[in-house]
Amino acid sequence: MITKTPSSVNRTPAVIAVVLFAVAAITYWDASHMATRATYGMSASAASYFVALLFLVLGIGHLVSAFKPSDIDIEMADWKAVAWIGLALAGLVVSIWLGGGFILGSTLLFAFTARAFGRKALLVDVCLGAVIGMFVFLLFNKLLTLALPQGPLERLF
Amino acid sequence: MRTFMKYGLLAAVVGSIVGLADGQASAQNLELTITAPAGAGGGWDSAARSLQEAMRASGNAKSVQVVNVPGAGGTVGLAQFIGSAKGSPNQLLVAGITLVGASISNKSPVDLTKVTPLARLTGDPLVIVVPKASPIKTIADLQATIKKDVAKTIWVGGSAGGADHILAALVTKASGADPSKVNYVAYSGGGESLAAMLGGQATAGVSGYGEWEGQIKSGDLRALAISYPEPIPGIEAKPLKAQGLDIELVNWRGIFAGPNVQGKDLDALKAAIDKTVKSEQWKTILKTRGWSDYYAPGDEFKTFIASETDRVRTVLKSIGLAD
Amino acid sequence: MESISFLLDGFSLAIQPANLLYAAIGVIIGTAVGVLPGIGPALTVALLLPVTFKLDPGGSIIMFAGIYYGGMYGGSTTAILLNTPGESASVVTALEGNKMARAGRGGPALATAAVGSFVAALIATLGLAFLAPMLVKVAVQFGPWDYFGLMLIAFVTVSATFGSSPLRGLTSLAFGLWLGLMGIDQLTGQARLTFGVPELLDGVEVTTLAVGLFAIGEALLVASRHLRKPEQPIPVKGSIWMTKEDWKRSWKPWLRGTVIGFPIGALPAGGAEIPTFLSYNIERKLSRKPEEFGYGAIEGVAGPEAANNASAAGTLVPLLTLGLPTSATAAVMLAGFQQYNIQPGPLLFTQHADLVWGLVASLFIANVMLLVLNLPLVGIWVKLLKIPLPWLYAGILVFASMGTIAANPSVVELLLLSGFGAVGFLMRRYDYPIAPAVVGLILGPLADSALRRSLQMSLGDPMILFQHPGSAIMIGIATIALVAPFIFRGLSRFQQDED
């Protein structure tokens, strides 16, 4: 269950260090391009520079810790399950993006998430998801008159 | 801060809709969608919802739907509206002076000159106040203070580049000081800046009159002037214009159609709006909401938009928020 | 005293059978909706506000009080049971509460939250009734420099949530600070880190981050482990009710939480989150069993929950006396008042005394009702965990994303939510604490603008922070809190050397 790092360098903190350096660079770049200056006191860029510096320090910290033995055990992950949830969220986002509406989106979200947890009865879950989505939609749109994104399904009501 | 405004707004919207559901079908067959480029509950949203109510109740539209597109002082909603409402005979947008300023300071590629003005609807005065204990008694005192030391004259008000900030800059300029040197401390809304005023941390404050009305009436704040061109019944403070400063700034709101809406479509929309604005229902709404009528028909509104855009840009440039 | 007779009048209004019924309905629906992840008290009240408009002002305000306290309470339930706080003020509750639930002590965790909320709300509501006019005078004297001092204290206390590694804790905090930079700067209108995306100009919503990191990140983590190490249905060990030991360990944190929560809640920019961090840290410091912190210490639920509810009553102070909404929920309440043409403000207590005292009285009643209704419910909530895992998490995700869409139906917001979910998963996987990120997002912008407002008012002179006694004292406390542990450690090492 537990991966032992093969080499003397811990990969995870090293990768994170690189990410932190990148974020620091982006933040620095963004701050240096700010045109508006405050007339009195500090400008908006001051906080950005501070955070960039903080990231730089943390990046160095991670780099140092990459050469120390790891103090955490990383479990093996079931990436297939993670991918299913990714698909579930993508289903919701795409459905709303392309005008598929809220009910379709939450149906996909529900069914695919259930699939990620190992359920095989996709049809049952699709129905259940649709019922929940419809219930929520009716509750919001009809009872509370709050506009959730509408698609072909929603227009039937 | 952001969250709670949004939710507060949400509540107000949801609230304002209750009871409107049984709008009468009318002789007019317009089926309209009004975009409010802000979260539920704020000024633009309540204007949109009120217009919705009045149009339906007065029979000037068959159905009206309000859509909220919040974000970036309205520029997100405006950009979306320009994309979707081009030439459309049934899409409307509510917007106001804040959107003019936001388009400029956010360097948005779109602004209100790209859409078709139908009518200016309401306009609310801003008020300039000082704390109760302040030695400043009149607007002339305030001007003298500004002239003496512009940096030490601390203003508080709403967000940077908004109408409050613009008014502070205009008053500073009229007092003979450099508007780029105005020491304006921005707060997220009338609430927090009110606390700064009551705590005596600022020299002067600017806000919509309605927001601070309670403290003005109770005597905790002293109102020096309002920014409306004429005196308003029920408001004791006199307009800046009546006190020798040639400044007027009104927090106006208006209604727009999409780009390239012309001919019969445009006439129908204008007629529906004009009739609604003259209806009893609309007058009642103005009264209950405490809004001042600031109606101007489409053509007049169009020139007004152009002049406001120029004016706001000049002021924002002078305070370093636009280039 | 005049106040007492007013309060009795208020009770006589609130205790009418119809009004009691309204309060009960309010408490029930408030709890039911507030329990949904991603829907905190603010959204709960916002969504249910229209229901109250059908009643007369008295009845509606009473139902409203029920919904308010019900929603406040409901938010902690999901934090404890499912590790998905419905709002930012419950983030701290999730830290220890969920660990307790995992250890089969979900019942006592929920119970201490319920009783603690009750105690805190009771005391704080008394404070509201009798101290409001005085407290508000102090509160408005709080200048930006004082806020900065308070933020510094809060920042120092965040380290309590860092977990096993300060490096990883700080990284999480920095992530939150970084997100806090995004959007238009309030003071200068300057856009920071928006990369030309207009939807980012309004910044990152705290709820979006909290729900993404907690709810979605948790779902991803559980799913990634599910096949190899199926999550066991959590056994409920022992009594679902609090033991004598639990009571003994809870009552002081409740009181301390109240004392911290109420005054900070009354500050115009105090909020509910900071008192929960402070309370958590204090309880950790004062606990007889500090080693239990991070593994399900009951004090870590009792204190923050009390602080949260006390601050909720505290926010009513500036709302009722100044008309100043200082939290999401207060902003919603303001909208509620305005529907009846009642403008909260300095004149409210004199012009609408009956309504104000009716509200205060119904807050008391709602509070009692909440306790009566919710203690039996603890048993039912705990059963929530018996829903088959696939459906439970699928349901959580649907409701969490719905909360986001309802507040802002934009694709960018949903993408952010999903992105935060992925980050939350990775953070959990590599043992980075989640809470500091949320804290950073809340405190970062507040500290930034408080410091810059101070310096703007002093024309750039940093000494302003030390010239005001309030801020000077708070900066001192923060410095001591930061430095003291090192000194003590050094001292004890020194003593050991001597031996």
Side-chain angles (χ1 to χ4, degrees):
Chain A
M1 288 296 118
I2 290 158
T3 47
K4 282 270 172 267
T5 33
S7 67
S8 62
V9 178
N10 264 317
R11 261 236 322 265
T12 315
V15 171
I16 293 172
V18 172
V19 173
L20 294 178
F21 287 137
V23 174
I26 291 170
T27 312
Y28 179 85
W29 172 83
D30 185 75
S32 63
H33 280 73
M34 287 182 194
T36 313
R37 296 261 152 255
T39 318
Y40 305 99
M42 278 158 49
S43 290
S45 54
S48 294
Y49 285 124
F50 173 77
V51 172
L53 185 70
L54 185 61
F55 269 100
L56 189 70
V57 172
L58 290 169
I60 295 170
H62 274 83
L63 213 54
V64 171
S65 77
F67 292 98
K68 288 185 188 161
S70 172
D71 60 340
I72 46 167
D73 303 325
I74 291 149
E75 299 172 33
M76 291 286 284
D78 178 4
W79 291 108
K80 224 158 127 191
V82 174
W84 273 110
I85 293 190
L87 194 68
L89 289 167
L92 174 71
V93 173
V94 170
S95 169
I96 287 185
W97 199 344
L98 302 181
F102 175 79
I103 299 180
L104 180 66
S106 50
T107 304
L108 294 175
L109 180 65
F110 188 91
F112 289 159
T113 309
R115 178 70 187 73
F117 284 86
R119 268 187 64 89
K120 297 282 193 276
L122 201 59
L123 198 65
V124 177
D125 292 344
V126 165
C127 294
L128 193 61
V131 169
I132 294 177
M134 212 146 74
F135 173 74
V136 169
F137 175 78
L138 288 178
L139 183 78
F140 273 70
N141 269 45
K142 300 291 159 185
L143 223 58
L144 304 173
T145 54
L146 189 80
L148 288 174
Q150 304 218 349
L153 270 175
E154 284 79 359
R155 292 200 190 94
L156 295 177
F157 295 104
Chain B
M1 305 305 117
R2 293 183 291 268
T3 327
F4 77 68
M5 283 329 285
K6 194 181 276 182
Y7 287 139
L9 308 180
L10 186 65
V13 184
V14 177
S16 58
I17 319 160
V18 171
L20 318 182
D22 356 274
Q24 296 280 311
S26 69
Q28 284 270 4
N29 285 327
L30 285 172
E31 293 186 13
L32 301 172
T33 304
I34 305 180
T35 301
W44 294 339
D45 179 69
S46 37
R49 308 253 168 201
S50 304
L51 197 61
Q52 171 191 42
E53 185 184 342
M55 288 189 92
R56 279 204 294 215
S58 63
N60 284 304
K62 191 172 152 205
S63 77
V64 185
Q65 219 193 351
V66 174
V67 179
N68 293 92
V69 189
T75 46
V76 172
L78 178 64
Q80 188 174 322
F81 181 75
I82 287 177
S84 70
K86 197 169 276 177
S88 160
N90 49 17
Q91 294 222 51
L92 302 177
L93 173 86
V94 168
I97 188 167
T98 320
L99 185 45
V100 174
S103 305
I104 298 168
S105 55
N106 293 347
K107 302 184 180 60
S108 165
V110 290
D111 63 25
L112 279 181
T113 58
K114 302 278 194 302
V115 288
T116 315
L118 293 177
R120 194 175 66 195
L121 298 173
T122 65
D124 296 328
L126 303 180
V127 65
I128 300 173
V129 302
V130 293
K132 180 169 60 175
S134 168
I136 298 170
K137 307 279 180 209
T138 62
I139 195 82
D141 291 350
L142 180 63
Q143 285 187 286
T145 313
I146 294 170
K147 195 151 191 196
K148 203 169 132 220
D149 193 340
V150 62
K152 283 197 180 136
T153 308
I154 297 167
W155 293 81
V156 294
S159 59
D164 300 353
H165 195 171
I166 290 175
L167 183 60
L170 289 173
V171 171
T172 303
K173 196 174 167 204
S175 309
D178 180 356
S180 75
K181 290 276 179 284
V182 60
N183 195 350
Y184 181 85
V185 184
Y187 282 87
S188 60
E192 271 188 77
S193 55
L194 173 62
M197 280 311 293
L198 294 175
Q201 291 137 22
T203 317
V206 185
S207 169
Y209 182 81
E211 284 186 83
W212 289 0
E213 192 177 11
Q215 276 70 21
I216 293 169
K217 291 215 162 129
S218 73
D220 290 310
L221 296 175
R222 188 181 309 125
L224 300 181
I226 54 170
S227 63
Y228 213 67
E230 301 111 35
I232 296 179
I235 298 182
E236 221 175 282
K238 289 200 192 77
L240 285 165
K241 277 209 162 158
Q243 305 189 52
L245 279 83
D246 188 21
I247 298 170
E248 67 169 270
L249 189 70
V250 177
N251 186 5
W252 54 264
R253 302 183 194 106
I255 182 99
F256 300 79
N260 303 327
V261 179
Q262 288 154 340
K264 254 209 288 205
D265 290 343
L266 182 61
D267 292 342
L269 287 174
K270 276 187 176 167
I273 295 287
D274 286 353
K275 272 192 218 151
T276 307
V277 171
K278 292 190 176 100
S279 70
E280 274 314 306
Q281 286 92 342
W282 181 247
K283 294 203 171 100
T284 318
I285 288 172
L286 289 182
K287 215 171 172 187
T288 52
R289 294 257 178 191
W291 290 337
S292 313
D293 189 10
Y294 202 48
Y295 173 74
D299 300 322
E300 190 188 327
F301 189 28
K302 191 169 184 171
T303 23
F304 179 73
I305 296 276
S307 73
E308 283 287 271
T309 307
D310 280 348
R311 182 162 85 120
V312 170
R313 177 171 283 124
T314 319
V315 178
L316 289 180
K317 256 188 210 167
S318 78
I319 50 184
L321 285 179
D323 32 46
Chain C
M1 246 167 92
E2 203 188 14
S3 308
I4 293 176
S5 80
F6 273 128
L7 187 60
L8 288 178
D9 286 348
F11 271 111
S12 69
L13 174 74
I15 209 137
Q16 289 164 15
N19 288 342
L20 281 181
L21 184 70
Y22 294 147
I25 297 174
V27 166
I28 293 170
I29 50 182
T31 314
V33 179
V35 128
L36 301 174
I39 304 196
L43 194 55
T44 306
V45 178
L47 291 179
L48 296 176
L49 196 58
V51 181
T52 66
F53 293 145
K54 313 240 159 89
L55 313 171
D56 62 281
S60 102
I61 286 178
I62 286 161
M63 186 190 268
F64 195 77
I67 294 173
Y68 181 47
Y69 275 179
M72 289 295 302
Y73 176 73
S76 61
T77 306
T78 46
I80 291 171
L81 294 178
L82 305 172
N83 202 11
T84 56
E87 30 112 28
S88 44
S90 308
V91 165
V92 178
T93 309
L95 292 180
E96 299 300 321
N98 188 246
K99 290 278 159 46
M100 284 182 71
R102 293 258 154 116
R105 293 185 17 88
L110 288 173
T112 197
V115 182
S117 302
F118 170 76
V119 172
L122 201 66
I123 299 174
T125 312
L126 275 174
L128 171 68
F130 297 107
L131 301 179
M134 195 197 79
L135 202 60
V136 79
K137 288 209 181 81
V138 182
V140 294
Q141 295 303 324
F142 231 69
W145 34 86
D146 300 312
Y147 280 108
F148 183 67
L150 184 65
M151 298 307 151
L152 280 189
I153 296 182
F155 266 122
V156 173
T157 61
V158 177
S159 60
T161 61
F162 277 0
S164 59
S165 151
L167 178 66
R168 291 196 287 269
L170 265 178
T171 309
S172 175
L173 180 68
F175 175 58
L177 290 177
W178 186 71
L179 292 176
L181 290 176
M182 277 186 186
I184 292 179
D185 164 49
Q186 228 180 61
L187 271 79
T188 56
Q190 169 74 55
R192 292 191 288 208
L193 292 169
T194 52
F195 311 110
V197 181
E199 278 85 355
L200 286 181
L201 285 172
D202 281 350
V204 176
E205 213 53 74
V206 178
T207 352
T208 308
L209 180 72
V211 171
L213 286 183
F214 277 92
I216 297 181
E218 177 83 1
L220 282 165
L221 186 77
V222 175
S224 79
R225 288 176 175 165
H226 186 63
L227 284 188
R228 284 198 184 73
K229 217 169 60 181
E231 192 106 333
Q232 297 300 322
I234 303 167
V236 179
K237 280 187 219 139
S239 166
I240 61 158
W241 183 233
M242 291 162 70
T243 62
K244 213 170 158 196
E245 164 85 5
D246 290 335
W247 280 97
K248 239 173 85 189
R249 290 176 60 179
S250 291
W251 72 272
K252 279 187 202 152
W254 292 337
L255 294 184
R256 282 192 289 259
T258 310
V259 171
I260 298 167
F262 182 63
I264 296 184
L267 290 179
E273 294 90 1
I274 295 169
T276 62
F277 310 144
L278 292 178
S279 162
Y280 181 78
N281 195 44
I282 288 177
E283 295 314 327
R284 206 174 77 128
K285 288 267 152 63
L286 293 179
S287 171
R288 295 247 176 82
K289 298 184 174 168
E291 71 282 357
E292 270 187 33
F293 270 76
Y295 303 95
I298 195 164
E299 294 93 336
V301 181
E305 266 306 297
N308 182 4
N309 277 270
S311 83
T315 50
L316 293 179
V317 171
L319 180 70
L320 294 179
T321 53
L322 298 177
L324 231 181
T326 56
S327 74
T329 338
V332 181
M333 293 196 109
L334 186 63
F337 280 113
Q338 284 166 338
Q339 284 299 322
Y340 294 109
N341 266 328
I342 299 166
Q343 187 66 47
L347 304 176
L348 183 72
F349 271 83
T350 46
Q351 282 177 351
H352 296 281
D354 49 335
L355 271 180
V356 175
W357 292 102
L359 173 70
V360 172
S362 40
L363 286 173
F364 277 112
I365 300 222
N367 201 17
V368 174
M369 222 162 238
L370 194 65
L371 190 73
V372 173
L373 285 173
N374 272 300
L375 285 180
L377 277 181
V378 166
I380 298 172
W381 291 132
V382 174
K383 289 210 181 69
L384 202 70
L385 298 174
K386 295 224 166 94
I387 297 176
L389 222 51
W391 287 351
L392 180 64
Y393 279 100
I396 290 176
L397 288 199
V398 168
F399 283 112
S401 54
M402 178 199 73
T404 307
I405 299 173
N408 183 6
S410 107
V411 173
V412 176
E413 201 75 15
L414 274 180
L415 285 174
L416 280 177
L417 184 75
S418 309
F420 292 146
V423 174
F425 166 59
L426 292 174
M427 285 172 74
R428 273 156 212 267
R429 194 171 146 72
Y430 296 108
D431 200 28
Y432 285 79
I434 306 283
V438 182
V439 176
L441 177 59
I442 295 167
L443 290 184
L446 290 176
D448 177 31
S449 47
L451 177 61
R452 282 169 49 213
R453 281 196 191 111
S454 309
L455 291 179
Q456 195 181 342
M457 288 184 180
S458 74
L459 308 181
D461 178 9
M463 286 316 288
I464 189 166
L465 297 172
F466 303 102
Q467 282 157 356
H468 291 87
S471 60
I473 292 169
M474 283 190 280
I475 291 172
I477 294 175
T479 319
I480 292 168
L482 188 67
V483 179
F486 295 102
I487 297 175
F488 282 127
R489 217 176 296 156
L491 274 181
S492 62
R493 211 173 284 162
F494 184 67
Q495 278 164 351
Q496 273 166 6
D497 290 347
E498 296 238 300
D499 287 340

